[in-house]
Tab-separated table of all heavy atoms in Angstrom:
chain	number	residue	atom	x	y	z
V	1	MET	N	-8.411	5.525	-4.164
V	1	MET	CA	-8.605	6.307	-2.959
V	1	MET	C	-9.774	5.727	-2.174
V	1	MET	O	-10.825	5.447	-2.739
V	1	MET	CB	-8.844	7.764	-3.323
V	1	MET	CG	-7.687	8.384	-4.038
V	1	MET	SD	-7.765	10.161	-3.985
V	1	MET	CE	-6.215	10.538	-4.725
V	2	GLY	N	-9.531	5.498	-0.884
V	2	GLY	CA	-10.552	4.939	-0.022
V	2	GLY	C	-10.739	3.444	-0.185
V	2	GLY	O	-11.647	2.863	0.377
V	3	ALA	N	-9.863	2.799	-0.946
V	3	ALA	CA	-9.991	1.359	-1.194
V	3	ALA	C	-9.577	0.563	0.035
V	3	ALA	O	-8.720	0.980	0.803
V	3	ALA	CB	-9.121	0.951	-2.376
V	4	SER	N	-10.190	-0.575	0.202
V	4	SER	CA	-9.816	-1.509	1.259
V	4	SER	C	-9.193	-2.732	0.615
V	4	SER	O	-9.829	-3.395	-0.196
V	4	SER	CB	-11.057	-1.927	2.059
V	4	SER	OG	-11.584	-0.816	2.733
V	5	LEU	N	-7.956	-2.994	0.969
V	5	LEU	CA	-7.243	-4.146	0.427
V	5	LEU	C	-6.925	-5.085	1.575
V	5	LEU	O	-6.093	-4.781	2.430
V	5	LEU	CB	-5.961	-3.706	-0.271
V	5	LEU	CG	-6.130	-2.754	-1.455
V	5	LEU	CD1	-4.774	-2.301	-1.963
V	5	LEU	CD2	-6.920	-3.409	-2.555
V	6	PHE	N	-7.603	-6.219	1.626
V	6	PHE	CA	-7.419	-7.199	2.684
V	6	PHE	C	-6.863	-8.480	2.091
V	6	PHE	O	-7.431	-9.043	1.158
V	6	PHE	CB	-8.751	-7.497	3.389
V	6	PHE	CG	-9.287	-6.318	4.145
V	6	PHE	CD1	-10.252	-5.502	3.592
V	6	PHE	CD2	-8.812	-6.023	5.413
V	6	PHE	CE1	-10.744	-4.411	4.288
V	6	PHE	CE2	-9.299	-4.937	6.120
V	6	PHE	CZ	-10.267	-4.127	5.552
V	7	GLY	N	-5.733	-8.941	2.635
V	7	GLY	CA	-5.145	-10.198	2.187
V	7	GLY	C	-4.547	-10.137	0.796
V	7	GLY	O	-4.405	-11.156	0.132
V	8	VAL	N	-4.165	-8.949	0.343
V	8	VAL	CA	-3.606	-8.782	-0.999
V	8	VAL	C	-2.083	-8.922	-0.940
V	8	VAL	O	-1.417	-8.298	-0.117
V	8	VAL	CB	-3.992	-7.410	-1.591
V	8	VAL	CG1	-3.340	-7.201	-2.948
V	8	VAL	CG2	-5.506	-7.279	-1.691
V	9	ASP	N	-1.539	-9.759	-1.808
V	9	ASP	CA	-0.098	-9.960	-1.909
V	9	ASP	C	0.469	-8.907	-2.853
V	9	ASP	O	0.240	-8.957	-4.057
V	9	ASP	CB	0.204	-11.363	-2.434
V	9	ASP	CG	1.686	-11.676	-2.490
V	9	ASP	OD1	2.520	-10.756	-2.328
V	9	ASP	OD2	2.009	-12.857	-2.698
V	10	MET	N	1.199	-7.933	-2.283
V	10	MET	CA	1.794	-6.865	-3.086
V	10	MET	C	3.318	-6.959	-3.060
V	10	MET	O	4.000	-5.973	-3.296
V	10	MET	CB	1.309	-5.502	-2.597
V	10	MET	CG	-0.197	-5.341	-2.770
V	10	MET	SD	-0.781	-3.682	-2.458
V	10	MET	CE	-0.393	-2.927	-4.041
V	11	LYS	N	3.834	-8.165	-2.811
V	11	LYS	CA	5.286	-8.340	-2.841
V	11	LYS	C	5.775	-8.060	-4.258
V	11	LYS	O	5.247	-8.599	-5.225
V	11	LYS	CB	5.667	-9.755	-2.400
V	11	LYS	CG	5.396	-10.002	-0.919
V	11	LYS	CD	5.857	-11.370	-0.475
V	11	LYS	CE	4.916	-12.386	-1.002
V	11	LYS	NZ	4.502	-13.471	-0.196
V	12	GLY	N	6.768	-7.181	-4.350
V	12	GLY	CA	7.340	-6.832	-5.643
V	12	GLY	C	6.518	-5.834	-6.442
V	12	GLY	O	6.878	-5.500	-7.564
V	13	ALA	N	5.422	-5.334	-5.876
V	13	ALA	CA	4.568	-4.379	-6.600
V	13	ALA	C	5.284	-3.048	-6.785
V	13	ALA	O	6.122	-2.648	-5.974
V	13	ALA	CB	3.268	-4.154	-5.840
V	14	ASP	N	4.938	-2.363	-7.851
V	14	ASP	CA	5.489	-1.038	-8.125
V	14	ASP	C	4.443	0.000	-7.714
V	14	ASP	O	3.444	0.196	-8.398
V	14	ASP	CB	5.821	-0.900	-9.614
V	14	ASP	CG	6.500	0.415	-9.944
V	14	ASP	OD1	6.519	1.339	-9.096
V	14	ASP	OD2	7.006	0.539	-11.077
V	15	LEU	N	4.679	0.660	-6.589
V	15	LEU	CA	3.760	1.675	-6.069
V	15	LEU	C	4.282	3.083	-6.333
V	15	LEU	O	3.885	4.034	-5.675
V	15	LEU	CB	3.545	1.457	-4.564
V	15	LEU	CG	3.009	0.074	-4.169
V	15	LEU	CD1	2.944	-0.063	-2.653
V	15	LEU	CD2	1.649	-0.169	-4.790
V	16	THR	N	5.167	3.215	-7.320
V	16	THR	CA	5.763	4.505	-7.651
V	16	THR	C	4.690	5.559	-7.882
V	16	THR	O	3.776	5.377	-8.688
V	16	THR	CB	6.643	4.388	-8.917
V	16	THR	OG1	7.653	3.415	-8.680
V	16	THR	CG2	7.276	5.720	-9.277
V	17	ASN	N	4.809	6.645	-7.122
V	17	ASN	CA	3.933	7.816	-7.231
V	17	ASN	C	2.451	7.523	-6.997
V	17	ASN	O	1.601	8.319	-7.376
V	17	ASN	CB	4.133	8.525	-8.569
V	17	ASN	CG	5.543	9.067	-8.709
V	17	ASN	OD1	6.151	9.527	-7.745
V	17	ASN	ND2	6.094	8.982	-9.901
V	18	ALA	N	2.140	6.400	-6.364
V	18	ALA	CA	0.738	6.125	-6.020
V	18	ALA	C	0.301	7.098	-4.926
V	18	ALA	O	1.084	7.475	-4.054
V	18	ALA	CB	0.581	4.693	-5.531
V	19	ILE	N	-0.946	7.512	-5.006
V	19	ILE	CA	-1.514	8.428	-4.024
V	19	ILE	C	-2.607	7.682	-3.267
V	19	ILE	O	-3.535	7.148	-3.869
V	19	ILE	CB	-2.105	9.678	-4.708
V	19	ILE	CG1	-1.013	10.420	-5.472
V	19	ILE	CG2	-2.765	10.584	-3.667
V	19	ILE	CD1	-1.533	11.534	-6.360
V	20	LEU	N	-2.459	7.661	-1.947
V	20	LEU	CA	-3.421	6.983	-1.091
V	20	LEU	C	-4.266	8.025	-0.370
V	20	LEU	O	-3.774	9.084	-0.003
V	20	LEU	CB	-2.686	6.132	-0.051
V	20	LEU	CG	-1.631	5.166	-0.585
V	20	LEU	CD1	-0.885	4.528	0.572
V	20	LEU	CD2	-2.277	4.123	-1.462
V	21	PHE	N	-5.521	7.706	-0.151
V	21	PHE	CA	-6.385	8.574	0.656
V	21	PHE	C	-7.270	7.679	1.496
V	21	PHE	O	-8.209	7.066	0.983
V	21	PHE	CB	-7.232	9.497	-0.234
V	21	PHE	CG	-8.140	10.390	0.570
V	21	PHE	CD1	-7.634	11.484	1.254
V	21	PHE	CD2	-9.489	10.103	0.669
V	21	PHE	CE1	-8.473	12.289	2.009
V	21	PHE	CE2	-10.329	10.907	1.414
V	21	PHE	CZ	-9.823	11.998	2.092
V	22	GLN	N	-6.899	7.562	2.741
V	22	GLN	CA	-7.636	6.746	3.696
V	22	GLN	C	-7.853	5.319	3.193
V	22	GLN	O	-8.922	4.747	3.321
V	22	GLN	CB	-8.956	7.416	4.078
V	22	GLN	CG	-8.760	8.734	4.767
V	22	GLN	CD	-10.052	9.377	5.209
V	22	GLN	OE1	-11.148	8.885	4.949
V	22	GLN	NE2	-9.937	10.502	5.885
V	23	ASN	N	-6.801	4.751	2.609
V	23	ASN	CA	-6.857	3.363	2.167
V	23	ASN	C	-6.634	2.442	3.357
V	23	ASN	O	-5.786	2.718	4.192
V	23	ASN	CB	-5.794	3.093	1.099
V	23	ASN	CG	-6.063	3.832	-0.171
V	23	ASN	OD1	-5.762	5.012	-0.275
V	23	ASN	ND2	-6.636	3.155	-1.139
V	24	THR	N	-7.380	1.372	3.421
V	24	THR	CA	-7.196	0.362	4.452
V	24	THR	C	-6.357	-0.751	3.861
V	24	THR	O	-6.777	-1.407	2.911
V	24	THR	CB	-8.561	-0.187	4.929
V	24	THR	OG1	-9.350	0.907	5.388
V	24	THR	CG2	-8.370	-1.187	6.047
V	25	PHE	N	-5.151	-0.923	4.412
V	25	PHE	CA	-4.219	-1.913	3.904
V	25	PHE	C	-4.001	-2.996	4.937
V	25	PHE	O	-3.574	-2.724	6.058
V	25	PHE	CB	-2.859	-1.278	3.603
V	25	PHE	CG	-2.727	-0.634	2.263
V	25	PHE	CD1	-3.751	-0.608	1.357
V	25	PHE	CD2	-1.536	-0.040	1.904
V	25	PHE	CE1	-3.609	-0.019	0.122
V	25	PHE	CE2	-1.370	0.561	0.667
V	25	PHE	CZ	-2.415	0.565	-0.218
V	26	LYS	N	-4.274	-4.204	4.583
V	26	LYS	CA	-3.849	-5.383	5.331
V	26	LYS	C	-3.216	-6.277	4.273
V	26	LYS	O	-3.765	-7.287	3.866
V	26	LYS	CB	-5.028	-6.040	6.034
V	26	LYS	CG	-5.610	-5.140	7.105
V	26	LYS	CD	-6.319	-5.890	8.164
V	26	LYS	CE	-7.052	-4.951	9.073
V	26	LYS	NZ	-6.304	-4.476	10.164
V	27	ILE	N	-2.080	-5.782	3.789
V	27	ILE	CA	-1.410	-6.372	2.630
V	27	ILE	C	-0.088	-7.012	3.044
V	27	ILE	O	0.396	-6.808	4.151
V	27	ILE	CB	-1.155	-5.305	1.545
V	27	ILE	CG1	-0.239	-4.199	2.070
V	27	ILE	CG2	-2.468	-4.733	1.040
V	27	ILE	CD1	0.202	-3.194	1.032
V	28	THR	N	0.501	-7.734	2.116
V	28	THR	CA	1.818	-8.319	2.282
V	28	THR	C	2.755	-7.662	1.282
V	28	THR	O	2.424	-7.543	0.096
V	28	THR	CB	1.763	-9.843	2.017
V	28	THR	OG1	0.786	-10.415	2.881
V	28	THR	CG2	3.099	-10.485	2.270
V	29	VAL	N	3.907	-7.203	1.767
V	29	VAL	CA	4.909	-6.543	0.936
V	29	VAL	C	6.276	-7.165	1.238
V	29	VAL	O	6.406	-7.965	2.161
V	29	VAL	CB	4.941	-5.020	1.204
V	29	VAL	CG1	3.639	-4.354	0.813
V	29	VAL	CG2	5.254	-4.736	2.665
V	30	ASP	N	7.280	-6.753	0.477
V	30	ASP	CA	8.648	-7.190	0.743
V	30	ASP	C	9.619	-6.103	0.323
V	30	ASP	O	9.204	-5.015	-0.088
V	30	ASP	CB	8.945	-8.525	0.055
V	30	ASP	CG	8.859	-8.470	-1.463
V	30	ASP	OD1	8.665	-7.365	-2.033
V	30	ASP	OD2	8.985	-9.522	-2.093
V	31	ASP	N	10.914	-6.397	0.453
V	31	ASP	CA	11.931	-5.405	0.086
V	31	ASP	C	11.850	-4.996	-1.380
V	31	ASP	O	12.283	-3.918	-1.753
V	31	ASP	CB	13.338	-5.956	0.360
V	31	ASP	CG	13.705	-5.885	1.824
V	31	ASP	OD1	13.139	-5.056	2.552
V	31	ASP	OD2	14.574	-6.677	2.246
V	32	ALA	N	11.298	-5.864	-2.222
V	32	ALA	CA	11.197	-5.563	-3.653
V	32	ALA	C	10.001	-4.667	-3.982
V	32	ALA	O	9.876	-4.207	-5.111
V	32	ALA	CB	11.107	-6.862	-4.454
V	33	THR	N	9.143	-4.421	-3.013
V	33	THR	CA	7.996	-3.533	-3.243
V	33	THR	C	8.524	-2.113	-3.382
V	33	THR	O	9.161	-1.585	-2.476
V	33	THR	CB	6.984	-3.617	-2.077
V	33	THR	OG1	6.591	-4.981	-1.915
V	33	THR	CG2	5.757	-2.768	-2.357
V	34	ILE	N	8.263	-1.487	-4.518
V	34	ILE	CA	8.779	-0.144	-4.802
V	34	ILE	C	7.828	0.887	-4.205
V	34	ILE	O	6.633	0.888	-4.485
V	34	ILE	CB	8.923	0.067	-6.322
V	34	ILE	CG1	9.879	-0.983	-6.892
V	34	ILE	CG2	9.408	1.486	-6.624
V	34	ILE	CD1	9.902	-1.030	-8.408
V	35	ARG	N	8.386	1.802	-3.370
V	35	ARG	CA	7.559	2.798	-2.695
V	35	ARG	C	7.976	4.232	-2.993
V	35	ARG	O	7.527	5.165	-2.355
V	35	ARG	CB	7.573	2.564	-1.192
V	35	ARG	CG	8.352	1.386	-0.804
V	35	ARG	CD	8.187	0.883	0.566
V	35	ARG	NE	9.419	0.880	1.295
V	35	ARG	CZ	10.288	-0.124	1.300
V	35	ARG	NH1	10.077	-1.195	0.587
V	35	ARG	NH2	11.374	-0.052	2.003
V	36	GLN	N	8.845	4.419	-3.989
V	36	GLN	CA	9.316	5.756	-4.375
V	36	GLN	C	8.121	6.622	-4.762
V	36	GLN	O	7.351	6.263	-5.643
V	36	GLN	CB	10.293	5.651	-5.553
V	36	GLN	CG	10.870	6.969	-6.002
V	36	GLN	CD	11.810	7.577	-4.981
V	36	GLN	OE1	12.552	6.875	-4.308
V	36	GLN	NE2	11.768	8.873	-4.861
V	37	GLY	N	7.952	7.756	-4.077
V	37	GLY	CA	6.891	8.689	-4.420
V	37	GLY	C	5.523	8.310	-3.883
V	37	GLY	O	4.541	9.014	-4.131
V	38	LEU	N	5.404	7.208	-3.149
V	38	LEU	CA	4.130	6.804	-2.552
V	38	LEU	C	3.762	7.831	-1.488
V	38	LEU	O	4.556	8.133	-0.604
V	38	LEU	CB	4.277	5.417	-1.920
V	38	LEU	CG	3.072	4.853	-1.171
V	38	LEU	CD1	1.914	4.592	-2.131
V	38	LEU	CD2	3.453	3.576	-0.438
V	39	THR	N	2.561	8.413	-1.578
V	39	THR	CA	2.146	9.446	-0.637
V	39	THR	C	0.697	9.238	-0.210
V	39	THR	O	-0.053	8.512	-0.854
V	39	THR	CB	2.246	10.855	-1.258
V	39	THR	OG1	1.391	10.923	-2.408
V	39	THR	CG2	3.665	11.211	-1.655
V	40	GLY	N	0.327	9.918	0.879
V	40	GLY	CA	-1.059	9.935	1.297
V	40	GLY	C	-1.281	9.398	2.702
V	40	GLY	O	-0.383	9.393	3.540
V	41	THR	N	-2.521	8.940	2.932
V	41	THR	CA	-2.928	8.444	4.242
V	41	THR	C	-3.411	7.011	4.126
V	41	THR	O	-4.045	6.639	3.141
V	41	THR	CB	-4.052	9.311	4.835
V	41	THR	OG1	-5.140	9.373	3.910
V	41	THR	CG2	-3.569	10.715	5.141
V	42	VAL	N	-3.101	6.233	5.151
V	42	VAL	CA	-3.410	4.809	5.110
V	42	VAL	C	-3.716	4.305	6.513
V	42	VAL	O	-3.183	4.819	7.497
V	42	VAL	CB	-2.240	4.028	4.474
V	42	VAL	CG1	-0.993	4.119	5.303
V	42	VAL	CG2	-2.597	2.595	4.211
V	43	PHE	N	-4.590	3.327	6.591
V	43	PHE	CA	-4.788	2.562	7.813
V	43	PHE	C	-3.959	1.295	7.653
V	43	PHE	O	-3.904	0.730	6.579
V	43	PHE	CB	-6.264	2.168	7.986
V	43	PHE	CG	-7.196	3.340	8.145
V	43	PHE	CD1	-7.911	3.829	7.061
V	43	PHE	CD2	-7.358	3.953	9.372
V	43	PHE	CE1	-8.781	4.900	7.203
V	43	PHE	CE2	-8.223	5.025	9.529
V	43	PHE	CZ	-8.938	5.504	8.437
V	44	GLY	N	-3.329	0.836	8.686
V	44	GLY	CA	-2.538	-0.379	8.609
V	44	GLY	C	-3.149	-1.429	9.498
V	44	GLY	O	-4.299	-1.302	9.869
V	45	PRO	N	-2.433	-2.402	9.847
V	45	PRO	CA	-1.022	-2.645	9.582
V	45	PRO	C	-0.824	-3.425	8.288
V	45	PRO	O	-1.788	-3.879	7.678
V	45	PRO	CB	-0.598	-3.501	10.774
V	45	PRO	CG	-1.821	-4.306	11.087
V	45	PRO	CD	-2.978	-3.385	10.786
V	46	ILE	N	0.453	-3.567	7.921
V	46	ILE	CA	0.815	-4.414	6.795
V	46	ILE	C	1.794	-5.471	7.301
V	46	ILE	O	2.362	-5.328	8.382
V	46	ILE	CB	1.436	-3.615	5.633
V	46	ILE	CG1	2.791	-3.029	6.032
V	46	ILE	CG2	0.486	-2.526	5.153
V	46	ILE	CD1	3.563	-2.422	4.879
V	47	THR	N	1.999	-6.514	6.510
V	47	THR	CA	2.995	-7.529	6.833
V	47	THR	C	4.126	-7.407	5.831
V	47	THR	O	3.893	-7.440	4.623
V	47	THR	CB	2.385	-8.944	6.770
V	47	THR	OG1	1.301	-9.012	7.699
V	47	THR	CG2	3.423	-9.998	7.121
């Protein structure tokens, strides 16, 4: 919660049921990135 992730490659990551709270994301994702149950608030953008 409140983490800043800059330039992190999260392609194929499993974010199942992750809870975000004002996370700053400048990450890379793809269709294989699992987002089931991902909730919360985030600053973007992502690629």
Side-chain angles (χ1 to χ4, degrees):
M1 298 198 174
S4 295
L5 300 175
F6 294 98
V8 176
D9 183 349
M10 297 189 81
K11 291 184 286 222
D14 185 347
L15 303 175
T16 302
N17 297 324
I19 300 171
L20 308 173
F21 179 75
Q22 297 183 356
N23 293 80
T24 303
F25 275 0
K26 295 205 189 271
I27 62 173
T28 304
V29 296
D30 63 5
D31 282 336
T33 304
I34 301 170
R35 358 194 239 272
Q36 182 68 37
L38 177 66
T39 60
T41 55
V42 64
F43 297 98
I46 67 171
T47 301

